Amino acid sequence: MDMNDLVLVSVDDHLVEPPGMFRDHIPAKYRDRAPKVVQRADGTDAWVFEGQEATNVGLNAVAGRPPDEYGAEPTKFSEIREGCYDIDARIRDMNANGVAASMNFPSYPQFCGQYFARAQDRDLGLAVLRAYNDWHVDEWCGAYPGRMIPLGLPPIWDPQLMADEVRRLARKGCHSVSFSENPTKLNYPSLHDPHWDPFWTACSDENTVVNLHIGSSSSVVITSVDAPIDTMITLQPMSIVNAAADLIWSPTLRKFPDLTFALSEGGIGWVPYFLERIDRVYKTHRAWTHQNFGDRLPSEVFLERIALCFIDDEFGVRSRDELNLDMISWECDYPHSDSTWPQAPETLDVYLAGLSDDEIDRITHRNAARLYSFDLFGHNTREQSTVGALRARATDVDLGFRSSERLRKTGTDTVTVLNLVANLPS
Amino acid sequence: MDMNDLVLVSVDDHLVEPPGMFRDHIPAKYRDRAPKVVQRADGTDAWVFEGQEATNVGLNAVAGRPPDEYGAEPTKFSEIREGCYDIDARIRDMNANGVAASMNFPSYPQFCGQYFARAQDRDLGLAVLRAYNDWHVDEWCGAYPGRMIPLGLPPIWDPQLMADEVRRLARKGCHSVSFSENPTKLNYPSLHDPHWDPFWTACSDENTVVNLHIGSSSSVVITSVDAPIDTMITLQPMSIVNAAADLIWSPTLRKFPDLTFALSEGGIGWVPYFLERIDRVYKTHRAWTHQNFGDRLPSEVFLERIALCFIDDEFGVRSRDELNLDMISWECDYPHSDSTWPQAPETLDVYLAGLSDDEIDRITHRNAARLYSFDLFGHNTREQSTVGALRARATDVDLGFRSSERLRKTGTDTVTVLNLVANLPS
């Protein structure tokens, strides 16, 4: 398949929420108490909600920035690319990168709405979370039908409320929800606990995929504070293996046979090793650990029920015969620092060379559309959705680097994780 | 190559230290204060040293036990197979498994001698550690020349003493030392700190391999205390990826170009993904993280300098073209629960089928002998060292399961990691 004929759907990108997002969605009684953007003393911007301050960390919005200005410090809207927070600019950036559709994870609320869950006033927290979801589905995704796969945030403090929100979102056409790779790190029960069963039931009933994004336990992999930051960047995607192990050995997949999980930004190249490992553990240890998969193997259950995705994972794609090609999707990670934007088609094309057209279509868009119950070609035809067609509409998009004196890194010392730790949300 | 013609050298097995080990090696003035074995109130055995009690955890010596009796509780010598602690029985168990030579990690002292490092009396701690090493090299390995690759423990509390011990051991023919995958978890400086430079210098000078065994940070992977124990068993080997990332991004490999590390029990199937990842991180982020590999790539340095090994890793062996076949060895893990003993040749043979004789020899023994400066065929010929020849000498070894009423697991509930956590050394 020619690169220009690819249809690309990214199952993991990120949005930076714009200041006015609550205006049309929050009930009047909560309007004054909804999160708002304020300018900090250092000139950067932050969201504030019930006294909690949430900054936008640099690395999370570096699209279009020269790599020597990447960093973990807080930023301001005027320093980040409009496509991060403005839907019209975002669609143009997608066009310029040949991306037909995209699913967007949140920024300041954290991956499963931890920021809202910390609200002292639970009713306020729920109102804000619902307003967030309404803004996301109706305004951000609604502006360009067929271009954005909606993704909801759950009220993680109450499994029954989570179930209600999943059902409410499904009625709005949203069949995707973000959850935590390890809720115990957020002081909630583990993935092994029946505590979450109402949530799993609703997701199962509504055909809603539970997405576990790397970092959704509010933690990053820190081997030591003086480790070069490259250590954390290297390890973060594969750390999702911990959630993969939790999922396969927990009762959840077997108890809810129609429930699908997705490991977002986790990559795929390590998975064949993992599958061999879980089957070996099962055969060697089940006599005393009492795991029971009936007539199946853990690897078979994993391959059927856990959706995977990758940004740039040549070895993983080459090893696809070890995986389930119906459960692998592609992602772009715009506007994070691991993104291949605006060269995603060129990056992918190199190692899609040996694949059949059918294999390519499954990875690039068919799996994503099926998994997320997303009507990809109902609003735009396939012909209108190809890399070539989209890029032809975006020839005027400025793809040059935009530099900021303030963010330029000077010196040559290795950057350690200390810099990042200081800016992590609590 | 016929299975019976394989020559197997295992670079990762374990010994359980026998009660009388210090008798001929500790200076007279410390004899009464050396660690000794005592019987605990529950009938199990423990080592005691300066008031520190160290038990032998069941899973660490289960060779020959029925799988439904595996577990994490303390054991006693009478419940474990003689080959764990008796060198004559051990050689017979190796023969029965067709293993020509083996490198043995410690049990009660922990992987890098943490137990000795906690001594209040530093001089006593050093005397005991040296006595341990002398016992290991002269008595345990010396009893059967050419059958045991010696492995030293370092006095981790002092890098200069570590260097001295590495040089002393090298004079005794020992070119292998065990160290920590993450010393910060033992309250020492990280792998990135120049603190360890005297140790690295000595290892580099003496051609001594630094082995980082999984668990050598005195910790195991616990996603939550109610996680099924299968989760920890699944994740533990691959958790060495954290040390791999530390090594590649720390200055150490580049500062000491003749120093070799080994990732013990880490497996190999995840490594191709990891290599692609570190090169991508380097290319994407070096402009601001200031990493510098000159005209090389991180993956090239990794492949040259980091030795890998596997127990049972079919996908990894199949992916060998992505790795450096001169740095891959095999391991048996006797008498731990992941071991393939006494069917190691049969297990390996299945997926060595597609390899050339030269590839097989490198993986099964040539790399191990070269890396550890071990004279494999100086005492026994190749013909005497094959699976077939060794097994022919061990036809009388009883390989049947030995059962213990006390250890049998009843009930069918999933076993969680809580059981293990309770028995972890501090």
Side-chain angles (χ1 to χ4, degrees):
Chain A
M1 188 179 298
D2 184 83
M3 185 187 81
N4 284 312
D5 294 329
L6 294 173
V7 174
L8 299 181
V9 173
S10 167
V11 295
D12 173 29
D13 293 305
H14 305 267
L15 64 87
V16 174
E17 295 79 6
M21 64 170 293
F22 287 104
R23 195 177 42 226
D24 298 331
H25 306 284
I26 192 89
K29 66 184 268 204
Y30 291 122
R31 181 154 303 157
D32 294 342
R33 296 168 65 198
K36 32 185 87 53
V37 173
V38 299
Q39 196 180 67
R40 301 164 80 223
D42 64 1
T44 63
D45 295 318
W47 283 86
V48 175
F49 176 47
E50 278 197 342
Q52 294 184 75
E53 187 178 81
T55 58
N56 277 315
V57 171
L59 275 180
N60 289 342
V62 297
R65 183 163 299 293
D68 64 348
E69 297 177 17
Y70 287 14
E73 57 284 286
T75 55
K76 49 189 168 186
F77 280 97
S78 60
E79 282 170 352
I80 64 180
R81 193 172 172 88
E82 291 83 351
C84 299
Y85 56 83
D86 178 283
I87 187 64
D88 303 319
R90 177 58 156 264
I91 295 291
R92 286 162 51 76
D93 277 354
M94 285 165 60
N95 291 347
N97 195 30
V99 173
S102 161
M103 188 167 80
N104 292 175
F105 285 83
S107 290
Y108 77 81
Q110 301 175 260
F111 284 112
C112 46
Q114 294 97 306
Y115 188 71
F116 303 143
R118 288 191 293 266
Q120 298 295 316
D121 181 338
R122 289 290 193 213
D123 294 334
L124 171 64
L126 185 61
V128 166
L129 178 128
R130 284 188 179 150
Y132 185 99
N133 285 336
D134 286 341
W135 168 80
H136 177 91
V137 176
D138 300 336
E139 195 169 324
W140 184 260
C141 299
Y144 291 84
R147 299 300 299 272
M148 287 289 180
I149 301 173
L151 169 72
L153 300 184
I156 50 171
W157 60 90
D158 183 331
Q160 193 54 59
L161 290 178
M162 293 171 82
D164 295 346
E165 187 66 3
V166 164
R167 295 185 201 278
R168 190 181 78 87
L169 286 167
R171 287 192 295 274
K172 292 164 76 83
C174 172
H175 296 277
S176 182
V177 65
S178 185
F179 187 54
S180 176
E181 61 182 349
N182 189 343
T184 67
K185 295 197 180 177
L186 311 177
N187 298 315
Y188 293 103
S190 78
L191 291 172
H192 308 283
D193 199 291
H195 172 83
W196 304 106
D197 283 2
F199 175 50
W200 307 140
T201 301
C203 291
S204 183
D205 290 349
E206 303 296 345
N207 203 20
T208 293
V209 177
V210 180
N211 302 274
L212 309 181
H213 195 287
I214 62 168
S216 57
S217 55
S218 295
S219 58
V220 294
V221 182
I222 297 172
T223 57
S224 65
V225 286
D226 62 334
I229 199 161
D230 316 75
T231 306
M232 183 279 288
I233 299 172
T234 297
L235 294 169
Q236 197 64 13
M238 199 160 104
S239 71
I240 202 73
V241 70
N242 293 297
D246 273 333
L247 286 180
I248 202 64
W249 299 120
S250 93
T252 306
L253 288 176
R254 286 166 274 174
K255 196 164 167 185
F256 299 93
D258 296 320
L259 181 59
T260 300
F261 286 87
L263 304 181
S264 307
E265 205 172 331
I268 60 175
W270 55 269
V271 176
Y273 162 87
F274 179 80
L275 296 173
E276 188 176 349
R277 179 77 192 149
I278 56 178
D279 285 350
R280 188 173 193 280
V281 169
Y282 184 59
K283 291 172 191 166
T284 306
H285 294 280
R286 58 176 297 201
W288 71 280
T289 66
H290 305 308
Q291 287 285 349
N292 187 355
F293 283 77
D295 59 354
R296 324 228 30 214
L297 283 172
S299 64
E300 296 176 276
V301 174
F302 185 99
L303 286 169
E304 259 183 34
R305 308 285 300 288
I306 306 211
L308 306 170
C309 62
F310 68 95
I311 302 171
D312 188 17
D313 205 337
E314 180 174 8
F315 177 72
V317 172
R318 211 158 0 111
S319 306
R320 64 192 176 280
D321 290 347
E322 314 286 331
L323 303 170
N324 176 358
L325 209 64
D326 288 328
M327 293 294 270
I328 297 175
S329 298
W330 170 79
E331 62 160 295
C332 181
D333 202 29
Y334 176 100
H336 282 188
S337 63
D338 254 351
S339 181
T340 51
W341 185 90
Q343 299 289 318
E346 286 76 8
T347 309
L348 249 182
D349 196 48
V350 173
Y351 51 92
L352 292 183
L355 278 65
S356 70
D357 285 1
D358 176 68
E359 287 180 314
I360 292 173
D361 280 350
R362 283 193 276 169
I363 291 178
T364 54
H365 64 278
R366 282 209 330 246
N367 293 339
R370 184 193 77 248
L371 285 163
Y372 295 106
S373 309
F374 182 69
D375 185 12
L376 178 61
F377 297 133
H379 302 275
N380 309 286
T381 63
R382 178 181 171 120
E383 291 63 38
Q384 293 170 321
S385 305
T386 62
V387 168
L390 293 168
R391 280 184 162 174
R393 292 157 55 184
T395 50
D396 61 329
V397 176
D398 177 9
L399 298 176
F401 285 140
R402 296 190 210 162
S403 193
S404 156
E405 190 67 39
R406 189 181 82 89
L407 295 173
R408 197 158 306 139
K409 302 296 176 295
T410 54
T412 56
D413 282 353
T414 303
V415 178
T416 69
V417 299
L418 256 180
N419 179 244
L420 179 76
V421 173
N423 291 300
L424 284 183
S426 55
Chain B
M1 187 180 296
D2 184 83
M3 184 187 80
N4 284 312
D5 294 329
L6 295 173
V7 175
L8 299 180
V9 172
S10 167
V11 296
D12 174 29
D13 293 306
H14 304 267
L15 63 86
V16 174
E17 295 79 5
M21 64 169 294
F22 287 105
R23 195 177 43 226
D24 299 332
H25 305 283
I26 192 88
K29 65 184 270 204
Y30 291 123
R31 181 152 305 155
D32 294 342
R33 297 168 64 198
K36 28 183 93 49
V37 173
V38 298
Q39 195 179 68
R40 301 163 82 224
D42 64 0
T44 63
D45 296 317
W47 284 87
V48 175
F49 175 48
E50 278 198 338
Q52 294 183 74
E53 188 178 81
T55 58
N56 278 315
V57 171
L59 276 180
N60 289 342
V62 296
R65 183 163 301 291
D68 64 349
E69 297 177 18
Y70 287 14
E73 56 285 287
T75 55
K76 49 189 169 185
F77 279 97
S78 60
E79 282 171 352
I80 64 180
R81 193 172 172 88
E82 293 83 351
C84 299
Y85 56 83
D86 177 283
I87 185 64
D88 302 320
R90 175 59 156 263
I91 295 291
R92 287 163 48 77
D93 277 355
M94 285 165 60
N95 291 346
N97 195 31
V99 173
S102 161
M103 187 166 81
N104 291 175
F105 284 83
S107 289
Y108 78 82
Q110 299 176 263
F111 285 113
C112 46
Q114 294 96 306
Y115 187 72
F116 302 143
R118 288 191 293 266
Q120 298 296 315
D121 181 338
R122 288 292 194 210
D123 294 334
L124 172 64
L126 185 61
V128 166
L129 178 130
R130 285 188 178 150
Y132 185 99
N133 285 338
D134 287 342
W135 168 80
H136 178 90
V137 177
D138 300 337
E139 197 169 322
W140 184 260
C141 298
Y144 291 84
R147 299 301 299 273
M148 287 289 180
I149 301 173
L151 169 72
L153 300 183
I156 50 171
W157 60 91
D158 182 331
Q160 192 53 60
L161 290 178
M162 293 170 84
D164 296 345
E165 187 65 5
V166 164
R167 295 184 200 278
R168 189 181 80 86
L169 286 166
R171 288 192 295 274
K172 293 165 75 87
C174 172
H175 296 276
S176 181
V177 66
S178 185
F179 188 53
S180 176
E181 60 182 350
N182 189 343
T184 68
K185 294 197 179 176
L186 311 178
N187 297 316
Y188 294 102
S190 79
L191 291 172
H192 309 283
D193 199 291
H195 172 84
W196 304 106
D197 283 2
F199 175 51
W200 306 140
T201 301
C203 292
S204 183
D205 290 349
E206 303 296 345
N207 203 20
T208 293
V209 176
V210 180
N211 301 275
L212 309 181
H213 195 287
I214 62 169
S216 57
S217 55
S218 295
S219 58
V220 293
V221 182
I222 297 172
T223 56
S224 66
V225 287
D226 63 334
I229 200 161
D230 316 75
T231 306
M232 183 279 289
I233 300 172
T234 297
L235 294 169
Q236 197 64 14
M238 200 159 105
S239 71
I240 202 74
V241 69
N242 294 296
D246 272 333
L247 287 179
I248 203 63
W249 299 119
S250 93
T252 306
L253 289 176
R254 285 165 274 173
K255 195 164 168 186
F256 299 94
D258 296 320
L259 181 60
T260 299
F261 286 87
L263 304 181
S264 306
E265 205 172 332
I268 60 174
W270 54 270
V271 176
Y273 162 87
F274 179 80
L275 296 173
E276 188 176 349
R277 179 77 192 148
I278 55 178
D279 285 350
R280 188 172 193 281
V281 169
Y282 184 58
K283 292 172 190 167
T284 306
H285 295 279
R286 58 175 297 200
W288 70 279
T289 66
H290 304 309
Q291 287 285 350
N292 186 355
F293 283 77
D295 58 354
R296 324 227 31 214
L297 283 172
S299 64
E300 296 177 275
V301 174
F302 186 98
L303 286 169
E304 259 184 34
R305 308 286 300 289
I306 306 211
L308 306 170
C309 62
F310 67 94
I311 302 170
D312 189 15
D313 205 337
E314 180 174 8
F315 177 72
V317 171
R318 211 157 2 110
S319 306
R320 64 193 176 279
D321 290 346
E322 313 286 331
L323 303 170
N324 175 358
L325 209 66
D326 288 328
M327 294 293 270
I328 297 175
S329 298
W330 170 79
E331 63 159 298
C332 182
D333 202 29
Y334 177 101
H336 283 190
S337 62
D338 254 351
S339 180
T340 51
W341 184 90
Q343 301 289 318
E346 287 76 10
T347 309
L348 250 183
D349 197 46
V350 173
Y351 50 93
L352 293 183
L355 279 66
S356 71
D357 285 1
D358 176 69
E359 287 181 314
I360 291 173
D361 281 351
R362 283 192 277 169
I363 290 177
T364 55
H365 65 279
R366 282 208 334 245
N367 294 340
R370 184 193 79 249
L371 285 163
Y372 295 106
S373 309
F374 183 68
D375 185 12
L376 178 61
F377 297 133
H379 301 275
N380 309 286
T381 64
R382 177 178 172 122
E383 292 63 38
Q384 292 169 324
S385 305
T386 63
V387 168
L390 293 168
R391 280 185 161 173
R393 290 156 58 184
T395 51
D396 61 329
V397 176
D398 177 8
L399 298 177
F401 284 140
R402 297 190 208 162
S403 193
S404 157
E405 190 66 39
R406 189 181 82 89
L407 296 174
R408 196 158 308 139
K409 303 294 177 294
T410 55
T412 55
D413 281 354
T414 304
V415 179
T416 68
V417 300
L418 256 181
N419 179 245
L420 179 77
V421 174
N423 290 299
L424 283 183
S426 55

